[in-house]
Amino acid sequence: MPINLAAVVCAGVFFAIVGADDPYRFFNWNVTYGDIYPLGVRQQGILINGQFPGPDIYSVTNDNIIINVFNSLDEPFLLSWNGIQQRRNSFQDGVYGTTCPIPPGKNFTYILQMKDQIGSFYYFPSLAFHKAAGGFGGIRILSRPGIPVPFDNPAGDYTILIGRLDLKAILDGGKKLPFPDGVLINGRGPNGGVSFTVEQGKTYRLRISNVGLQNSLNFRIQGHMMTLVEVEGTHTLQTTFSSIDVHSGQSCSVLVKADQPAQDYYMVASTRFTNPVLTTTAVLHYSNSAGPVSGPPPGGPTIQIDWSLNQARSIRTNLTASGPRPNPQGSYHYGLINTTRTIRLANSAGLISGKQRYAVNSVSFVPADTPLKLADYYKIDGVFRVGSISDNPTGGGMYLDTSVLGTDYRAFIEIVFENNEDIIQSWHLDGYSFFVVGSQKTCMLQSQNAGWMEGAWSSASRGQYNLRDAVSRCTVQVYPTSWTAIYVALDNVGMWNLRTEFWARQYLGQQLYMRVYTTSTSFRDEYPIPKNALLCGRASGRRTRPLLNM
């Protein structure tokens, strides 16, 4: 399909802003419906250029990525870029709070920059439950030449997208999401023909992302160990595991050496903390294989929370390794910076007007009629209120609102996720990486008069924080009846989505937007609205910027 020239002209005028000295990579994507066979039965899926999953995005630190997306569906469509920070440019984030959907039969050109980032991420369709039908794919950002990487170049680099499949993901009737139909590896279920070829004696990098709608997944390879080397853009201490938990929305990289006898081996992904446990397999195929897979697929952990918690605590930043820049990752001493604000966010579930809803600090998010970022830019009154969600759990009943948390540019804040439910949670913050400084289980103790929480978060909990080598990432799990604390340097102006990665809960209200605000109008702090920005809702009919005006 030919690229829309008007969109490219708009993109070209914007190049001077995003970094004209950095390389450009151009992509032309056509989004269509098509047949997919995830569990061996034909279903209608969402394809990108005829592919399910969609094509990988290969890039290098600071590359400018120009993606012309043509929507050939019969409904609006929007892509978001999980983990890509969109520095100074939340207009491109691709969630409804920042970006208008692409109408059917129309196109939009995304202009992204992989500014000061490396690592493994993914993209996905962010509207409604499109994510259940496909439209997702891997993103890899390689280090620039000359920037040292703390391991030898692998012989191969594979994207592995794991996730649960939900063919019945319809929630508008106020029902809970049903138990998943199955688990997929790169769009296929058990015996689906997915295989990865390796040569005996060589080492390979696997970039694993949990792109599913719900459920933590455990990944393992029959007879092989995996060395964790990177988590969402941070080089980690190189710890070896026989299996690894990848929670909803998370990504990581492992190195696997093909050091076993030449044959085929099972690759397994299975649900965690569910009953029953769902399992799917793919194949690690040795190029000189003497035979097919044999024996049962290897088992893994199922409901053990302590096992997962201990593994998560072992994931630390490699302080001496370079990140996207040549200076060591440990040169940023986050533990020596005083926080200026503490925000405690508690998730909850309940009924509002007889329908299932989910909330944060009692507020169940409802989308506005206009993307919040556009309403903020054009100063349109009545779309949202800054401060419409409290900094702390209220303990009150759930209610509906368009929750926006106001924060200050260049503040250094602490966020504590408090999960008093009996499910595992997974939280993602667009536009940022954050330091996971602490996590602990709580338990309810009973007295004669009342119950109280032992281990519940308090200011004294900071004495347990890891203030030296906590991993920096963009998605973090919170275990049942537990809390997790993060530190965030608010150095990226914009309107940023903070959401659960359990998509049913996100869809039914468990999200909010964090407005990182400055009075400055300098391009050094935030880019202007893209000239090709789609305008919708109460922003319809307004102008972006004159085409030739920088």
Side-chain angles (χ1 to χ4, degrees):
M1 178 172 296
I3 294 178
N4 183 294
L5 293 180
V8 172
V9 169
C10 291
V13 177
F14 197 64
F15 287 172
I17 297 177
V18 299
D21 294 334
D22 297 310
Y24 295 89
R25 299 178 189 267
F26 295 86
F27 300 83
N28 199 31
W29 287 357
N30 186 27
V31 181
T32 62
Y33 298 118
D35 291 339
I36 61 175
Y37 298 82
L39 297 177
V41 178
R42 186 175 68 179
Q43 304 288 338
Q44 178 176 272
I46 294 177
L47 313 181
I48 297 180
N49 291 353
Q51 299 178 44
F52 171 70
D56 277 0
I57 294 176
Y58 298 84
S59 63
V60 175
T61 301
N62 292 346
D63 278 359
N64 297 294
I65 306 298
I66 314 300
I67 307 176
N68 182 45
V69 179
F70 193 91
N71 178 14
S72 295
L73 308 182
D74 59 7
E75 55 190 320
F77 184 78
L78 195 56
L79 282 172
S80 190
W81 321 90
N82 215 64
I84 305 305
Q85 293 176 9
Q86 314 291 355
R87 304 295 300 176
R88 298 180 282 174
N89 197 12
S90 63
F91 291 106
Q92 302 281 358
D93 199 35
V95 290
Y96 181 68
T98 63
T99 314
C100 291
I102 307 171
K106 302 295 183 180
N107 78 302
F108 176 69
T109 300
Y110 290 91
I111 304 167
L112 318 176
Q113 188 182 27
M114 307 314 198
K115 181 65 176 174
D116 289 337
Q117 287 193 263
I118 56 169
S120 309
F121 309 97
Y122 67 93
Y123 62 86
F124 69 97
S126 62
L127 293 183
F129 272 78
H130 286 166
K131 189 179 181 183
F136 49 78
I139 300 174
R140 62 185 70 178
I141 309 176
L142 303 178
S143 297
R144 289 173 291 170
I147 304 295
V149 175
F151 49 86
D152 293 336
N153 287 333
D157 194 329
Y158 288 117
T159 294
I160 298 180
L161 304 175
I162 58 178
R164 60 173 267 183
L165 173 70
D166 296 275
L167 301 178
K168 303 181 289 294
I170 302 173
L171 297 178
D172 290 324
K175 305 293 185 181
K176 292 184 178 181
L177 192 69
F179 195 71
D181 298 280
V183 176
L184 307 181
I185 297 178
N186 284 8
R188 295 287 183 144
N191 306 312
V194 175
S195 65
F196 302 87
T197 300
V198 296
E199 293 185 30
Q200 195 170 29
K202 294 185 177 181
T203 298
Y204 294 80
R205 183 174 185 171
L206 307 183
R207 299 175 186 263
I208 308 165
S209 293
N210 184 341
V211 299
L213 297 180
Q214 188 171 320
N215 295 124
S216 302
L217 297 172
N218 182 266
F219 183 81
R220 52 201 180 271
I221 303 175
Q222 183 181 27
H224 293 73
M225 301 298 287
M226 300 178 292
T227 301
L228 183 69
V229 293
E230 175 257 331
V231 167
E232 294 165 15
T234 298
H235 288 131
T236 62
L237 293 179
Q238 296 184 13
T239 307
T240 299
F241 301 109
S242 58
S243 71
I244 188 166
D245 280 353
V246 186
H247 304 281
S248 295
Q250 292 185 345
S251 299
C252 66
S253 287
V254 298
L255 297 180
V256 176
K257 187 172 183 179
D259 57 1
Q260 298 300 303
Q263 64 174 66
D264 290 353
Y265 296 89
Y266 283 113
M267 308 172 79
V268 183
S270 60
T271 56
R272 292 283 269 122
F273 321 115
T274 65
N275 184 19
V277 175
L278 297 180
T279 300
T280 194
T281 59
V283 173
L284 186 73
H285 170 69
Y286 279 58
S287 59
N288 58 339
S289 175
V293 292
S294 61
T302 54
I303 61 172
Q304 302 90 338
I305 292 174
D306 286 345
W307 186 97
S308 185
L309 178 59
N310 290 333
Q311 182 179 76
R313 286 173 171 167
S314 74
I315 299 173
R316 305 289 183 98
T317 295
N318 183 337
L319 297 178
T320 60
S322 296
R325 297 183 178 184
N327 49 303
Q329 294 180 137
S331 60
Y332 183 78
H333 300 288
Y334 68 93
L336 300 179
I337 305 173
N338 292 325
T339 57
T340 56
R341 182 177 175 185
T342 297
I343 299 168
R344 295 168 52 215
L345 301 175
N347 51 270
S348 59
L351 299 179
I352 298 179
S353 300
K355 292 187 176 182
Q356 182 69 49
R357 297 291 300 187
Y358 300 93
V360 183
N361 287 1
S362 301
V363 185
S364 186
F365 183 88
V366 287
D369 59 8
T370 304
L372 308 182
K373 182 58 185 173
L374 297 184
D376 203 21
Y377 178 80
Y378 289 114
K379 297 179 172 57
I380 303 172
D381 292 333
V383 176
F384 69 91
R385 292 181 301 111
V386 175
S388 48
I389 182 171
S390 170
D391 277 17
N392 296 285
T394 65
M398 289 169 45
Y399 61 95
L400 303 176
D401 203 347
T402 304
S403 39
V404 176
L405 187 70
T407 59
D408 296 327
Y409 179 45
R410 292 181 176 159
F412 190 77
I413 67 172
E414 172 186 42
I415 299 177
V416 183
F417 297 105
E418 299 180 4
N419 179 18
N420 296 322
E421 300 183 74
D422 61 357
I423 64 160
I424 186 170
Q425 268 283 11
S426 189
W427 289 98
H428 176 85
L429 176 58
D430 282 353
Y432 285 93
S433 286
F434 46 73
F435 296 96
V436 184
V437 294
S439 183
Q440 182 174 313
K441 292 198 299 180
T442 62
C443 60
M444 179 67 76
L445 300 180
Q446 298 294 327
S447 70
Q448 287 183 334
N449 299 319
W452 72 93
M453 299 300 293
E454 180 182 60
W457 186 89
S458 70
S459 58
S461 302
R462 297 185 181 117
Q464 307 170 31
Y465 284 3
N466 176 2
L467 299 181
R468 183 174 181 271
D469 61 354
V471 69
S472 178
R473 62 187 314 161
C474 57
T475 309
V476 66
Q477 72 278 7
V478 188
Y479 292 97
T481 58
S482 300
W483 57 263
T484 294
I486 65 173
Y487 280 177
V488 193
L490 298 182
D491 59 357
N492 196 12
V493 175
M495 187 76 72
W496 303 108
N497 190 215
L498 176 57
R499 62 178 178 268
T500 177
E501 286 288 350
F502 281 24
W503 216 243
R505 285 177 165 248
Q506 177 273 152
Y507 182 73
L508 295 179
Q510 209 155 73
Q511 61 172 309
L512 58 100
Y513 280 81
M514 190 165 70
R515 180 186 188 239
V516 181
Y517 178 73
T518 178
T519 56
S520 169
T521 57
S522 170
F523 288 3
R524 294 179 181 178
D525 297 323
E526 185 176 25
Y527 292 150
I529 188 171
K531 292 181 173 66
N532 67 328
L534 299 174
L535 301 180
C536 57
R538 287 188 244 176
S540 297
R542 297 176 184 253
R543 297 184 64 183
T544 54
R545 290 178 291 137
L547 185 62
L548 298 179
N549 177 23
M550 290 307 297

